[in-house]
Amino acid sequence: MTLATAPATPDRSAAPAPAFSILCVDDEANILSALRRLFRPHGYTVHVANSGAEGLELLDREHVDLIISDMRMPVMDGAAFLAEARKRHPDTVRLLLTGYADMESTVAAINSGQITRYISKPWNDQDVLLTVREALERQALTREKARLEALTQKQNDELKSLNASLEQKVEARTAELKSAHEKLKQNFLTSIRVFSNLIELREGSNAGHAKRVADLARKVAVRLNFAPAEVQDVMLAGLLHDIGKIGLPDDLLAKPVSHMTGDELGVMRKHPITGQAALMGLENMRGAATLIRSHHERWDGQGYPDHLSGLAIPYGARVIAVVNDYDDMQSGTLSPRKLKPAEAIALIQQNRGKRYCPQVVDAFLDVIGSSTENMPPPMNEVTAASLRPGMVLARDLVTRDGVMLLAADFVLDENLIRQLRELEASEGVRLKIAIQPERR
């Protein structure tokens, strides 16, 4: 094969080329030398092979970006070589050197070897350089595109993983905050119950009154579709509605309202205002404090301290008024004779629309008359000697003096059981401890 070079043309490839590697395959040494001289000044690394087999062997050893192969070679022609090179190294750019007489073979090479372009002989050096440069630039762009796509995919995967991790951390932190909030809420409610029990220490035989009022008032509020925050205000107000009585004399607290003198009634009727004032400094208690002030107002306007009537009375205060009187009627607080539950209910019905809000009375009667609402939870009463770790209190544990030792739903452990047994031994009394039945 003879080397023919066209007349020189202006150098359009003077720009420096990136460091690419080229493999030139031809069975004629002078062709390989010419190609080496052509490419080396432009910064390319040039490998040569004098047969297709040698070219394949070199491809397995060296990284090659572009292959230029002659078409006519013994044993393995350019079409067969480039086809095998494509199978082994599909990312390489493949160019074919061919004469006009080889067009049929060239078409076969294009089909089997998927060559990028063929170069006719004799060639123009500058055209060859531009062809190689353009082919390698496209190759570089393709590889950069693939690299960027892979990088983008990797970054997307990392971002997805980060988002998932972040979501897990947010969920964990949210759960942690929710747990802390619930703990604070429980501690807050426990503190309120403790305050309520301290108040009831003054009331002696009427121990448990505040808790009964709070529980029943909460149920009535739920029946009336109060919002959750309003239900909580009703419950808190029920627990602390008598907080203003702390400063009253013992003999006045022990006297039924029906036996009080005018002056004594005047002193007694100040306790709703005193109770509100005691709680207004606590932001979470302001709603409940308003209900405490108004829980002795009457529907007909004959109540105290502000003589409110009808819808002017806060809704929650109307609920507490009914429930509070219902419990007081049975404890002898309103009159010396303690009424039976049925008698107390009948009296409340008689005062529907007079003393009490009609809607509240109807809801109260629904709650009282509902067997599911009015049925006490199943429980077993045992002594401290029968307690075992893991048992759960079915109701508040209260001493005969009205002091709450433990709240309902408290889970007993060995230390608490030991203390309860020591208390029974030191006081010489048997505590009535209500225990929830074991779950199976």
Side-chain angles (χ1 to χ4, degrees), residues 27-343:
D27 60 330
E28 295 187 25
N30 60 333
I31 297 292
L32 295 178
S33 297
L35 291 172
R36 184 186 289 115
R37 289 193 303 270
L38 177 62
F39 292 127
R40 275 187 174 173
H42 297 278
Y44 298 118
T45 300
V46 181
H47 303 283
V48 296
N50 58 19
S51 68
E54 186 178 336
L56 293 174
E57 182 181 348
L58 190 145
L59 284 173
D60 291 337
R61 296 196 316 266
E62 303 287 346
H63 170 73
V64 172
D65 297 296
L66 182 141
I67 303 171
I68 298 178
S69 174
D70 185 29
M71 180 61 200
R72 291 188 175 185
M73 293 186 296
V75 184
M76 180 184 292
D77 65 11
F81 165 67
L82 292 175
E84 184 64 25
R86 181 180 71 84
K87 291 180 184 179
R88 299 189 187 186
H89 306 280
D91 292 338
T92 56
V93 179
R94 294 172 294 280
L95 303 180
L96 183 67
L97 283 175
T98 182
Y100 290 112
D102 297 325
M103 290 308 298
E104 184 176 345
S105 300
T106 300
V107 172
I110 292 173
N111 293 332
S112 59
Q114 293 185 1
I115 65 172
T116 301
R117 185 172 174 180
Y118 69 89
I119 301 172
S120 299
K121 298 182 290 184
W123 67 75
N124 179 289
D125 285 351
Q126 299 306 317
D127 288 344
V128 171
L129 287 173
L130 284 174
T131 298
V132 168
R133 179 180 175 185
E134 290 172 357
L136 288 174
E137 286 178 346
R138 286 196 298 271
Q139 177 76 338
L141 290 174
T142 300
R143 289 179 179 176
E144 180 65 9
K145 177 175 177 290
R147 186 189 71 82
L148 292 176
E149 288 175 348
L151 178 61
T152 300
Q153 183 61 46
K154 179 182 178 183
Q155 291 174 339
N156 287 340
D157 291 342
E158 291 176 351
L159 184 59
K160 187 182 296 184
S161 176
L162 180 62
N163 286 339
S165 175
L166 183 60
E167 288 176 2
Q168 292 174 355
K169 290 179 180 179
V170 170
E171 289 176 1
R173 182 57 177 164
T174 301
E176 182 181 340
L177 291 174
K178 184 176 180 181
S179 176
H181 175 73
E182 287 298 322
K183 187 174 182 180
L184 286 173
K185 182 178 178 181
Q186 290 301 319
N187 289 340
F188 171 70
L189 293 177
T190 299
S191 299
I192 296 299
R193 288 193 178 99
V194 171
F195 295 153
S196 177
N197 278 276
L198 291 175
I199 296 168
E200 291 190 349
L201 286 176
R202 299 291 318 282
E203 298 182 352
S205 61
N206 202 23
H209 165 71
K211 186 177 186 303
R212 292 192 298 271
V213 170
D215 288 345
L216 186 52
R218 179 188 62 79
K219 294 176 183 178
V220 174
V222 170
R223 182 60 60 94
L224 289 168
N225 295 318
F226 278 28
E230 294 172 332
V231 172
Q232 177 165 300
D233 282 344
V234 168
M235 184 191 69
L236 295 176
L239 287 171
L240 300 176
H241 68 281
D242 282 339
I243 191 172
K245 293 181 179 180
I246 286 181
L248 298 180
D250 291 342
D251 58 342
L252 185 60
L253 290 175
K255 185 180 292 188
V257 173
S258 60
H259 287 192
M260 291 183 184
T261 65
D263 290 341
E264 289 173 335
L265 282 173
V267 173
M268 173 64 73
R269 289 178 176 178
K270 292 179 180 178
H271 84 268
I273 299 175
T274 305
Q276 181 194 32
L279 298 176
M280 284 302 291
L282 301 174
E283 183 176 352
N284 291 342
M285 294 298 298
R286 289 175 184 172
T290 300
L291 303 185
I292 289 172
R293 180 187 180 95
S294 301
H295 78 279
H296 279 297
E297 300 288 356
R298 291 174 43 153
W299 187 254
D300 58 11
Q302 300 301 309
Y304 61 89
D306 301 311
H307 304 292
L308 301 177
S309 64
L311 299 179
I313 306 170
Y315 210 172
R318 289 179 249 160
V319 172
I320 296 173
V322 173
V323 176
N324 182 50
D325 282 1
Y326 173 69
D327 196 81
D328 281 345
M329 291 174 190
Q330 298 174 71
S331 65
T333 301
L334 297 180
S335 64
R337 188 174 78 85
K338 297 181 181 180
L339 301 184
K340 295 179 180 179
E343 294 175 315

